Amino acid sequence: MMVQVTERDEALLAWLDVVRLADMDAVRWALGALSGAGEPVSLRRAQQWAARMIGTGLLDRGRVAYRDGSIVWATYLAIGKPAPNLFRQTTRHEVAVATVSARYLAQGFTWRRDRKPNSVREHQADGVAERDGVVELVEVELTPKTWQRYQSICQSHAYRLAHEGIDRIAYFCTADADRAVTREADKHLVRTDRPRFVSQHSLDARGYWTGDELGAGAHATAHGRATLLVELESTSEWGESSQVHA
């Protein structure tokens, strides 16, 4: 059977190369972003897309006990990377990052990995979102860290705000993590930097989005179709369209 792989399919698989894991909620938002809608597609439509990509061998799925529904990832055939281990402690966090990332895409932002730290004092954010020259470091915080760790992280954020052209630091947290992040930012960031550091309670302990949405669609509607900025680390290259035998 010949299956057509569209440009949108390629872009969504490339996004999965960056975030690695996503649930159907994130896929709904990412598909909506790539369609220029600025809002999520229906769950049924997201599931149909996933089933079609699984049929091509470019996508796979699995389940973990603490989440409802499937988690999907791009396969080795798609991105040249082995399947992730769903039972790692970081899986819940990775899926939550994809949830936040997809909502940024729906606002017309691009999304990429943060650079690797240059020293042990630097902190690597969960992602970098950019739109119209505005650059945000994005963090997803499901559990609070120690005050010593937050002190170091705030110092890293302050340096990057001052020296690396970062416009804003945005945290998306559980309730406990939001309180901790806000408290430590108040302590460790100078008055001029503090307004550029924002935190909001958006996630529950499982990593599901439970907060207010991010003004979905406002920017995408004003500026046209949302685009993706990805850093491909595999050797495979996509053309404008391709066909896969399944």
Side-chain angles (χ1 to χ4, degrees), residues 86 124 135:
L86 296 185
Q124 184 176 15
V135 181

Side-chain angles (χ1 to χ4, degrees), residues 6-17:
T6 68
E7 186 177 349
R8 187 186 66 172
D9 296 336
E10 295 166 2
L12 195 51
L13 290 167
W15 172 70
L16 283 168
D17 187 14

Side-chain angles (χ1 to χ4, degrees), residues 92-245:
R92 182 171 59 116
H93 179 263
E94 289 179 273
V95 175
V97 170
T99 293
V100 174
S101 169
R103 283 163 167 78
Y104 267 89
L105 298 185
Q107 293 188 93
F109 281 85
T110 62
W111 184 271
R112 55 184 168 87
R113 295 183 186 92
D114 191 14
R115 63 166 178 75
K116 293 183 178 180
N118 292 320
S119 71
V120 294
R121 294 184 177 182
E122 288 191 344
H123 175 71
Q124 184 176 15
D126 291 318
V128 181
E130 186 169 356
R131 184 183 75 185
D132 299 336
V134 174
V135 181
E136 296 190 11
L137 295 184
V138 182
E139 299 275 20
V140 174
E141 201 86 343
L142 298 180
T143 55
K145 296 180 173 67
T146 64
W147 69 265
Q148 295 95 332
R149 185 71 182 116
Y150 279 127
Q151 182 178 23
S152 174
I153 290 171
C154 285
Q155 289 172 350
S156 177
H157 286 330
Y159 179 87
R160 298 185 70 178
L161 286 169
H163 300 285
E164 295 189 11
I166 303 300
D167 296 286
R168 193 172 80 142
I169 313 291
Y171 271 75
F172 298 90
C173 310
T174 59
D176 289 345
D178 178 47
R179 286 191 290 269
V181 166
T182 300
R183 180 183 65 244
E184 297 305 321
D186 288 342
K187 288 181 182 177
H188 301 299
L189 291 176
V190 299
R191 185 175 58 184
T192 53
D193 288 338
R194 186 62 183 87
R196 298 162 65 194
F197 184 107
V198 297
S199 176
Q200 66 182 62
H201 172 202
S202 301
L203 302 160
D204 68 13
R206 296 177 298 170
Y208 285 107
W209 186 277
T210 57
D212 294 334
E213 294 298 351
L214 308 179
H219 185 85
T221 300
H223 293 81
R225 179 175 174 174
T227 58
L228 291 172
L229 178 63
V230 297
E231 295 176 346
L232 296 176
E233 295 180 353
S234 66
T235 57
S236 60
E237 295 183 357
W238 297 101
E240 292 185 357
S241 64
S242 56
Q243 293 179 331
V244 175
H245 294 274

